[in-house]
């Protein structure tokens, strides 16, 4: 297939074994669907048509990942495991879309064996800002009471 074009017009199902397509400097086009029960590797660049990709299993980016459009994450927990988080935005919104609210909202800094966790939050039941230390953790919701109010210096 040195100088040939490889086109799949209706779909390809690779259940076992391996599919290898050497496109050279040309383009390999899969016009409809690709279903693989094991692994699909793309050596250089993967372009997904405008109707998007539906991935039902785990997906890993082993190097950099750049998203040039919007990124929407649906789930119960989003974990960012990085040394430093840099945010260019001027505002950070918490509790987006709430029509009414019984949850306290804010920031909890886990301090490990150094001492109690630090907290800066909007106390919904008191209708005021609170900061202090305590055993509150970021996975809690509702009215947080397991902290002691501190002093702002």
């Amino acid at each position: 297939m040195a100088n040939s074009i490889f086109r799949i017009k209706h779909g390809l199902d690779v259940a076992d074994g391996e599919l290898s397509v050497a496109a050279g400097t040309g383009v390999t086009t899969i016009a409809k669907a690709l279903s693989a029960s094991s692994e699909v590797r793309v050596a250089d660049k993967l372009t997904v048509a405008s109707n998007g990709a539906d991935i039902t299993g785990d997906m890993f980016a082993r190097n950099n990942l750049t998203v040039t459009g919007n990124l929407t994450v649906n789930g119960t927990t989003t974990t960012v495991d990085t040394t430093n988080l840099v945010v260019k935005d001027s505002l950070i919104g918490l509790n987006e879309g709430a029509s009414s609210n019984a949850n306290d909202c804010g920031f909890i800094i886990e301090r490990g064996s150094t001492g109690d966790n630090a907290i800066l939050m909007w106390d919904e039941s008191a209708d005021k800002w609170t900061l202090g230390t305590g055993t509150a953790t970021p996975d809690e919701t509702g009215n947080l009471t397991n902290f002691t109010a501190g002093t702002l210096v």
Side-chain angles (χ1 to χ4, degrees), residues 30-58:
I30 299 173
K32 289 284 183 184
L34 171 65
S35 175
S37 62
S38 57
E39 193 172 282
V40 175
R41 293 183 188 198
V42 178
D44 186 22
K45 181 179 180 182
L46 173 65
T47 301
V48 178
S50 61
N51 58 346
D54 185 18
I55 300 168
T56 57
D58 293 339

Side-chain angles (χ1 to χ4, degrees), residues 50 70 78 122:
S50 61
N70 295 328
T78 301
W122 177 257

Side-chain angles (χ1 to χ4, degrees), residues 16-33:
D16 292 309
E18 183 177 305
L19 170 67
S20 177
V21 179
T25 58
V27 175
T28 301
T29 302
I30 299 173
K32 289 284 183 184

Side-chain angles (χ1 to χ4, degrees), residues 105 107 119-123 126 128-132 147-150:
C105 297
F107 298 95
I119 186 168
L120 170 63
M121 70 170 195
W122 177 257
D123 187 337
K128 61 175 119 178
W129 284 101
T130 302
L131 63 103
F147 67 91
T148 302

Side-chain angles (χ1 to χ4, degrees), residues 1-6 21-28:
M1 279 202 206
N3 291 320
S4 62
I5 296 175
F6 182 69
V21 179
T25 58
V27 175
T28 301

